[in-house]
Amino acid sequence: MPTLKELARRPNPLTGGHSACAGCGFPQAVRLVLMSIEEPVVVAGATGCMEVTTTTYPNTAWTVPFIHNAFENAAATISGVEAAYRALRRQGKIDREIRFVAFGGDGGTYDIGLQSLSGAVERGHRFLYVCYDNQAYMNTGIQRSSATPYGASTTTSPAGEAVPGKLQRRKDLTAILAAHGIPYVAQSTIAHWQDLTRKVRRAMEVDGPAFINVLAPCRLGWGTDPAMTVRMAELAAETCAWPLFEVDHGQWHVTYVPKQKLPVEEYLRPQERFRHVFQDKSGQLLAAIQRDVDEQWEALLAKAGQAVDGKAASRA
Amino acid sequence: MATTEAYRITERRRVTMTGAEATAEAMRQIHPDVVAAYPITPQTDIVMRFARFVADGVVQTEFVPVESEHSALSAVVGASAAGARAMTATSGPGFALMHEILYVAAGYRLPIVMPVANRALSGPINIHGDHSDTMGSRDAGWIHLYAENAQEAYDDLIQAVRIAEHPEVRVPVLVGQDGFIITHGMEIVEVLTDDEVRAFVGEYRPERYLLDVDHPMTVGALALQNSYFEVKRQLAEAVRRSARIIADVGEEFGRLTGRYYGLTEPYRMEDAELVIVAIGSTAGTAKDVIDELRGRGVKAGLVKVRVFRPFPARNLRDLLGRARAVAVLDRADSYAGLGGPLFAETKAALYGLPQAPVMTGYVYGLGGRDITPEMIAAVYDDLGQLAERARADHAAVAAEAALSVRYLGVRER
């Protein structure tokens, strides 16, 4: 494993000067992922914050080959790129190892892009799909997505007198990808650089599709201080609201078990999108969110064959 | 390999085949690097034949059997930007599902070639041939070629590669053929040798491509108010420029095969007074009708529009300028627009001519409804009467006819 210093010395795939918000989570996701890959890489990106803020013509922040096609088809696009690579390599027109990565936000991945992603991994293209999940359609004005967690207030699931924010659980996309039976699936955050870089390297080793879901907080949509972005991702893992795990050739492993699982309140309280949760004097909404987090965490531990009391050792 | 040898064509042959079969054969001979496709009637016959070529090792093409037409074109955009010669094929609703990505492919100036088995669009669902699909995306920035028969479907596809990849063009090209009528109709097709096709299309050498990792580039950047308009204007210029390239390629193909191609194909137009303008297989039927009418002294003629984008306005002005009455036949409606797309644009092309003919429009054949020689003969009858009436008051008759669209072969009650 390279140290953080060594990683930082690698050529930067995404230069400064892009126009993402201060404290935005996705640039860390992109840099950590791409700096973990030693081979030359070609990147596809879905429409979204990342594409808009890094490729405003005549500028580009990408120092690696990058293609944006549309919102819902990053996976189909990269499968075409990968197919071209196979064809040209077989003809001897290209004679080096190249790796392929697609990035999409949660809207372009959980929702409109799910068919394209499902199709591409089913076909077995060798590529890594990274979802930078900030849990809503942030670029277009913070609308709910199927990744938005239960109880969060967004502009299309606003918390009001009658409806307390989003009424549905977030879609478990990582499990859906695992159900495709592809070689490698994982979940991480931008705060856990060692965990994430190790997972990316594993994804590069496997011969076939890989998927990593990376929690990348959005300070604008979440209503958090820009300086708190990384801390928010940490708190997501410490409260088990966003567990870190991997499914390596069908084997589930929880890769981070907090020494002491924090109450979900500690993660929710700094976020404006959950403000109404704390204005609810009955405490029922908070209790429902806590119950949901606990249930999902325990179900995950059970799948991984790890003890429900959380004492099992972390694999990482 | 024995199977590979069995497919190889080393001498020109005249073979009985369908349009779909001829198209698949052209694809085999073009030998693209990547083909991504999703099956849809009546295109399926093309991709399943091509999949067989892949399975038998006859082609080294990377075949990507995607989960939708949207992904088919998306993957082909990726492959083409990556530096591969890439193709797909589709039909009707599949083409409609690609609509968004048609613009991406054109805007990125990717030389993609795509056969389209023209098919009606829902609802109600109908799997048969009309031009509603490609006409619905006529403004996506693609070059449109339309075949009259299986031979042309074959010939056009081979030429499309050269047109799309020409350095002064670099625009995707679609080749339409009427669903079932051409895709599934058996005809005699002259097939070139593999070597002839390979030599004609040449090797694809893109200047810049994604897999050239030492020279990274960003494809598909965000273009705002300061640049988007220029990109689209340049696309329009490229499509306009392609008219000359299409003619040059058609001429070169003619020298190789004896079959010369232009933007339009005039038939018995030297002294024609009553003229039909049509696209696709209907042009073939019209030719037979014209031969018969000519035997009876009727000065009938036809202009087949082979290339719909770039629209051959100048050719149409030259060809139709001396006619007395013109009927434009559309296999697509624009539902209370100023006639079907071909009628509306043909009228526009002739606007301002001092001696413009009287023009009228017909919509026919929606959902694969037959168009018979009798119907076409009836159109020439109508034209004769229209021309007579116009003798008395040309301006009034022309003005009325320009707004009239009739439905040919539809039950009116």
Side-chain angles (χ1 to χ4, degrees):
Chain A
M1 285 292 294
T3 64
L4 196 53
K5 268 189 180 169
E6 282 163 0
L7 275 183
R9 275 198 293 270
R10 298 252 173 96
N12 194 341
L14 188 70
T15 63
H18 58 72
S19 58
C21 300
C24 175
F26 90 73
Q28 286 99 306
V30 169
R31 288 191 181 125
L32 283 171
V33 167
L34 294 183
M35 284 169 152
S36 313
I37 302 173
E38 313 219 348
E39 298 85 356
V41 68
V42 177
V43 174
T47 309
C49 295
M50 181 195 77
E51 163 265 336
V52 164
T53 59
T54 58
T55 71
T56 309
Y57 184 84
N59 303 306
T60 180
W62 297 88
T63 63
V64 295
F66 176 87
I67 180 168
H68 162 251
N69 188 339
F71 191 17
E72 64 285 19
N73 63 0
T77 305
I78 203 75
S79 49
V81 174
E82 192 257 7
Y85 169 68
R86 283 184 197 223
L88 298 182
R89 189 133 196 220
R90 192 163 47 223
Q91 294 169 34
K93 290 180 176 171
I94 289 175
D95 59 359
R96 59 204 286 191
E97 284 282 321
I98 300 177
R99 296 286 192 242
F100 302 94
V101 179
F103 288 98
D106 48 288
T109 308
Y110 284 66
D111 290 343
I112 197 169
L114 183 58
Q115 171 188 305
S116 153
L117 174 58
S118 175
V121 302
E122 183 269 335
R123 290 190 300 272
H125 298 277
R126 187 170 181 177
F127 76 111
L128 166 64
Y129 191 102
V130 176
C131 176
Y132 63 96
D133 184 348
N134 52 32
Q135 305 194 328
Y137 290 84
M138 297 307 184
N139 192 42
T140 47
I142 315 163
Q143 296 89 10
R144 92 191 272 284
S145 78
S146 61
T148 303
Y150 175 73
S153 179
T154 72
T155 56
T156 53
S157 64
E161 290 298 318
V163 180
K166 194 190 173 203
L167 293 176
Q168 301 81 17
R169 266 186 177 182
R170 74 178 189 90
K171 186 191 281 181
D172 192 349
L173 180 67
T174 317
I176 291 171
L177 266 294
H180 283 74
I182 60 175
Y184 189 75
V185 170
Q187 189 164 293
S188 189
T189 85
I190 56 157
H192 299 80
W193 71 269
Q194 271 183 311
D195 182 81
L196 178 54
T197 56
R198 186 188 65 76
K199 285 171 176 168
V200 172
R201 296 167 71 82
R202 180 67 189 134
M204 289 300 112
E205 284 166 14
V206 300
D207 189 9
F211 172 83
I212 304 180
N213 203 353
V214 180
L215 186 71
C218 168
R219 45 97 18 193
L220 196 68
W222 292 22
T224 47
D225 188 306
M228 284 285 285
T229 300
V230 174
R231 179 64 186 149
M232 291 315 301
E234 271 177 354
L235 284 169
E238 296 301 328
T239 56
C240 301
W242 184 270
L244 310 191
F245 63 94
E246 67 187 357
V247 188
D248 194 333
H249 291 86
Q251 295 299 308
W252 290 67
H253 304 286
V254 176
T255 58
Y256 178 71
V257 178
K259 285 194 179 66
Q260 193 194 353
K261 181 166 167 274
L262 295 179
V264 75
E265 183 180 344
E266 302 222 8
Y267 168 57
L268 303 186
R269 199 174 276 283
Q271 303 183 43
E272 241 176 81
R273 62 178 178 157
F274 290 111
R275 191 170 51 191
H276 58 289
V277 170
F278 299 98
Q279 289 165 348
D280 166 29
K281 299 288 181 242
S282 74
Q284 279 181 7
L285 194 50
L286 181 60
I289 294 173
Q290 183 67 63
R291 202 162 47 239
D292 190 39
V293 166
D294 291 346
E295 275 173 22
Q296 297 209 39
W297 172 243
E298 281 161 25
L300 173 66
L301 289 175
K303 263 193 235 181
Q306 280 160 300
V308 175
D309 62 7
K311 281 181 188 158
S314 163
R315 187 174 173 275
Chain B
M1 274 193 297
T3 46
T4 308
E5 280 308 311
Y7 285 104
R8 187 194 297 268
I9 294 181
T10 52
E11 277 175 41
R12 285 195 198 182
R13 287 184 200 163
R14 291 171 65 79
V15 195
T16 311
M17 47 170 68
T18 65
E21 207 176 342
T23 302
E25 190 63 11
M27 286 173 73
R28 181 188 68 74
Q29 294 181 311
I30 292 164
H31 204 165
D33 301 310
V34 175
V35 169
Y38 186 74
I40 180 166
T41 303
Q43 159 263 37
T44 316
D45 212 31
I46 298 172
V47 289
M48 72 185 203
R49 283 173 193 282
F50 194 78
R52 166 59 58 192
F53 295 144
V54 174
D56 286 346
V58 177
V59 290
Q60 300 305 304
T61 302
E62 197 65 35
F63 180 60
V64 189
V66 285
E67 84 294 343
S68 77
E69 289 89 349
H70 191 285
S71 284
L73 190 56
S74 300
V76 164
V77 163
S80 183
R85 183 178 269 163
M87 296 176 70
T88 179
T90 193
S91 179
F95 181 81
L97 188 54
M98 292 177 174
H99 182 79
E100 177 196 16
I101 312 304
L102 294 171
Y103 287 76
V104 176
Y108 293 3
R109 306 287 299 278
L110 298 172
I112 293 162
V113 170
M114 174 164 76
V116 179
N118 283 109
R119 168 180 159 177
L121 289 179
S122 303
I125 188 169
N126 175 292
I127 60 170
H128 291 277
D130 72 32
H131 297 157
S132 308
D133 50 5
T134 48
M135 286 299 166
S137 299
R138 64 185 181 270
D139 298 330
W142 283 54
I143 292 167
H144 285 222
L145 309 183
Y146 290 90
E148 180 186 319
N149 49 40
Q151 181 72 62
E152 291 193 8
Y154 173 85
D155 291 350
D156 282 351
L157 204 67
I158 294 165
Q159 294 172 70
V161 175
R162 284 281 300 279
I163 297 162
E165 291 173 5
H166 193 285
E168 289 176 46
V169 179
R170 286 189 181 131
V171 172
V173 179
L174 68 83
V175 178
Q177 57 179 300
D178 292 338
F180 286 109
I181 297 166
I182 299 177
T183 57
H184 288 62
M186 276 282 181
E187 297 175 44
I188 293 175
V189 176
E190 189 196 65
V191 179
L192 301 178
T193 70
D194 291 1
D195 290 344
E196 282 174 327
V197 174
R198 205 149 299 159
F200 190 83
V201 298
E203 196 173 332
Y204 178 48
R205 288 201 188 80
E207 254 175 69
R208 306 207 51 194
Y209 53 101
L210 286 171
L211 290 172
D212 183 7
V213 288
D214 295 328
H215 302 93
M217 65 168 177
T218 294
V219 175
L222 172 73
L224 293 174
Q225 295 90 326
N226 61 342
S227 55
Y228 177 87
F229 203 171
E230 281 68 27
V231 172
K232 292 299 178 180
R233 163 65 190 268
Q234 286 171 15
L235 171 61
E237 289 299 328
V239 179
R240 217 165 271 143
R241 237 181 354 249
S242 74
R244 185 173 52 76
I245 312 298
I246 293 168
D248 289 351
V249 171
E251 172 75 20
E252 192 185 326
F253 193 80
R255 285 199 297 273
L256 175 70
T257 62
R259 297 186 295 277
Y260 289 84
Y261 288 89
L263 303 185
T264 50
E265 183 195 323
Y267 186 75
R268 305 196 74 163
M269 282 299 294
E270 313 75 39
D271 59 346
E273 294 179 346
L274 311 179
V275 180
I276 282 180
V277 177
I279 283 176
S281 60
T282 303
T285 315
K287 288 174 184 173
D288 284 345
V289 174
I290 289 165
D291 289 346
E292 203 192 307
L293 292 175
R294 285 276 174 173
R296 290 197 263 130
V298 180
K299 290 187 174 174
L302 167 82
V303 178
K304 180 176 85 185
V305 172
R306 175 196 178 221
V307 180
F308 187 72
R309 284 287 183 276
F311 193 73
R314 283 176 197 286
N315 301 42
L316 289 170
R317 284 170 86 96
D318 292 346
L319 289 163
L320 300 176
R322 290 182 305 275
R324 289 174 61 204
V326 173
V328 182
L329 270 48
D330 272 286
R331 205 164 200 142
D333 201 351
S334 74
Y335 306 101
L338 287 179
L342 185 59
F343 181 36
E345 299 210 11
T346 306
K347 273 188 292 186
L350 268 56
Y351 182 80
L353 277 185
Q355 294 293 316
V358 184
M359 294 180 67
T360 187
Y362 294 81
V363 171
Y364 74 97
L366 299 188
R369 174 73 48 91
D370 272 348
I371 179 157
T372 63
E374 292 72 32
M375 288 176 196
I376 292 175
V379 170
Y380 282 110
D381 270 354
D382 290 352
L383 286 180
Q385 289 170 28
L386 201 59
E388 277 313 304
R389 285 207 290 129
R391 269 187 214 282
D393 187 351
H394 185 92
V397 173
E400 182 206 322
L403 295 179
S404 76
V405 177
R406 274 176 270 191
Y407 291 82
L408 204 53
V410 73
R411 286 188 303 276
E412 300 284 4
R413 284 174 291 131

